[in-house]
């Protein structure tokens, strides 16, 4: 660190992304990416002559992408804002809707970026503990008088709130924004998108990274009433007007239009998830009831850290966290069925060696 960094950031701890090792080929079950390649339609966009226009700036409004997203969900174009990954969209929400007077609230065990953004934007925050069973208690978020961020399904637990519970939170926080981060909602059974016309304090944040097989494209979006979309775009035009580059915009537009490939990939992940949950439970693991493309599991008597290391030495990467309450748990991204069969084979060996 130099002596020039602002006093505000001297002690700030940045977000630590999951490992992206470049040394050897792992079975990568650590960062919740899709195991499947992008839609063939999306790949085509990059291989033909479309890239001739890279000498020009992209369309700052990303009109084609916004239109494709609006069509997919049957909403108006002015209900959609787009961003460079959903992390940037979350940052726009922190910029636009949080200040010292309101403060911020989110679950204590959740996506690590909420705390990082609170620190980056110098905001006080309340980390609300999950219940004993790791679920979110909607009652804890009622009448909060703070800007609320909830990942639904939550990460790294995979547990989700129903739309009825989300509505209870929304209707008791009429003067505050509630951001529902739906990074994993395509793997669950519900979405809060259907509520945007009913609640002017709801923002649904989504991403192409997990369910649309485009983590490398860095594209995210928000769906909300048009006044909130205007506020978000005010942040975008004050920070990075060309936030979605020409290539990513074109690829994401083609990918979201290819609904059948998307459905096929999501269905494969869900069935590999059910297979993985069942096999892990048969091996004596406690596994939370995941609605996401990962599972959160532990086995009594086995150290999370040691299992992580044993898996890594056998070519399988998973994610774990050091914080006290979840340190024995493994967060295992659901890959292809073939990858999950290999994972189960290896974890069986590890379990057998431990007895
Ligand atoms: C992965 C993830 C994101 C970030 O996704 P990007 O669009 O790749 O920036 C946001 N929220 C949650 C809960 C996530 O797990």
């Amino acid at each position: 660190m130099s002596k020039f960094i602002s006093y505000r950031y001297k002690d700030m701890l940045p977000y630590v992304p999951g490992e992206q090792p470049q040394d050897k080929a792992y079975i990568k079950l650590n960062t919740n990416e899709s195991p499947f390649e992008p839609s063939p339609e999306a790949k085509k966009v990059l291989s033909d002559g479309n890239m001739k226009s890279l000498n020009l700036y992209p369309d700052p409004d990303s009109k084609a992408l916004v239109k494709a997203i609006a069509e997919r969900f049957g909403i108006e174009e002015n209900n959609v804002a787009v961003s460079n990954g959903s992390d940037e969209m979350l940052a726009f929400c922190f910029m636009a809707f949080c200040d010292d007077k309101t403060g911020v609230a989110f679950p204590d065990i959740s996506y690590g970026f909420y705390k990082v953004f609170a620190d980056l934007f110098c905001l006080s925050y309340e980390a609300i503990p999950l219940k004993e069973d790791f679920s979110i208690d909607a009652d804890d978020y009622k009448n909060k008088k703070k800007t609320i961020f909830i990942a639904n399904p939550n990460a790294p637990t995979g547990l989700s709130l129903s739309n009825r519970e989300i509505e209870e939170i929304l209707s008791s926080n009429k003067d505050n924004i509630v951001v529902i981060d739906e990074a994993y909602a395509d793997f669950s059974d519900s979405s809060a998108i259907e509520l945007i016309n009913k609640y002017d304090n709801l923002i649904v944040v989504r991403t192409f990274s997990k369910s649309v097989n485009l983590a490398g494209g860095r594209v995210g979006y928000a769906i909300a009433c048009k006044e909130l979309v205007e506020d978000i775009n005010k942040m975008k035009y004050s920070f990075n007007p060309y936030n979605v580059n020409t290539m990513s915009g074109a690829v994401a537009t083609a990918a979201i239009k290819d609904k059948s490939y998307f459905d096929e990939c999501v269905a494969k992940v869900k069935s590999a998830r059910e297979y993985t949950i069942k096999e892990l439970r048969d091996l004596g693991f406690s596994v939370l009831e995941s609605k996401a493309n990962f599972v959160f599991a532990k086995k009594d008597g086995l150290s999370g850290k040691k299992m992580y290391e044993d898996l890594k030495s056998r070519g399988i990467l998973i994610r774990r966290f050091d914080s006290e309450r979840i340190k024995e748990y493994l967060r295992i991204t659901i890959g292809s069925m073939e990858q999950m069969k290999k994972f189960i084979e290896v974890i069986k060996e590890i379990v057998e060696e431990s007895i």
Side-chain angles (χ1 to χ4, degrees), residues 283-299:
L283 285 170
F285 278 77
S286 341
V287 190
L288 300 192
E289 206 50 61
S290 172
K291 295 283 178 191
N293 68 337
F294 55 83
V295 295
F296 203 50
K298 72 161 180 184
K299 181 160 163 59

Side-chain angles (χ1 to χ4, degrees), residues 32 85-87 90 111 114 151 155 181 183-184 207 209-210 218-220:
N32 299 344
S86 60
D87 289 335
L90 293 167
Y111 186 42
Y114 306 147
D181 180 348
Y184 302 105
T207 178
S209 297
K210 314 293 171 36
R218 313 303 307 126
V219 182

Side-chain angles (χ1 to χ4, degrees), residues 74-224:
I75 52 180
E76 300 297 318
E77 288 168 40
N78 60 16
N79 295 130
V80 181
V82 295
S83 58
N84 186 323
S86 60
D87 289 335
E88 188 187 55
M89 186 56 74
L90 293 167
F92 290 158
C93 293
F94 272 84
M95 292 177 197
F97 308 111
C98 305
D99 54 47
D100 285 337
K101 278 189 290 247
T102 42
V104 184
F106 45 79
D108 66 339
I109 298 174
S110 190
Y111 186 42
F113 235 126
Y114 306 147
K115 180 191 171 319
V116 175
F117 281 141
D119 289 343
L120 179 65
F121 297 112
C122 306
L123 299 161
S124 60
Y125 65 88
E126 179 183 349
I128 301 176
L130 296 182
K131 289 199 288 196
E132 195 54 38
D133 63 0
F134 290 115
S135 63
I136 289 172
D137 188 342
D139 289 341
D140 292 343
Y141 295 81
K142 288 182 187 160
N143 302 303
K144 208 63 248 176
K145 302 191 169 55
K146 293 178 181 175
T147 306
I148 295 169
F149 288 81
I150 294 178
N152 195 44
N154 194 16
T157 63
L159 301 177
S160 65
L161 288 173
S162 66
N163 273 0
R164 187 184 50 74
E165 291 167 300
I166 289 173
E167 284 202 67
E168 287 171 11
I169 296 171
L170 286 162
S171 53
S172 68
N173 283 284
K174 290 231 180 296
D175 295 322
N176 306 92
I177 290 292
V178 178
V179 175
I180 302 296
D181 180 348
E182 291 197 346
Y184 302 105
D186 287 325
F187 304 105
S188 80
D189 320 311
S190 70
S191 164
I193 292 175
E194 63 189 60
L195 304 175
I196 58 150
N197 292 318
K198 199 165 161 195
Y199 295 94
D200 65 1
N201 57 335
L202 168 64
I203 299 174
V204 180
V205 172
R206 297 186 134 234
T207 178
F208 282 72
S209 297
K210 314 293 171 36
S211 57
V212 199
N213 323 321
L214 279 178
R218 313 303 307 126
V219 182
Y221 54 104
I223 294 182

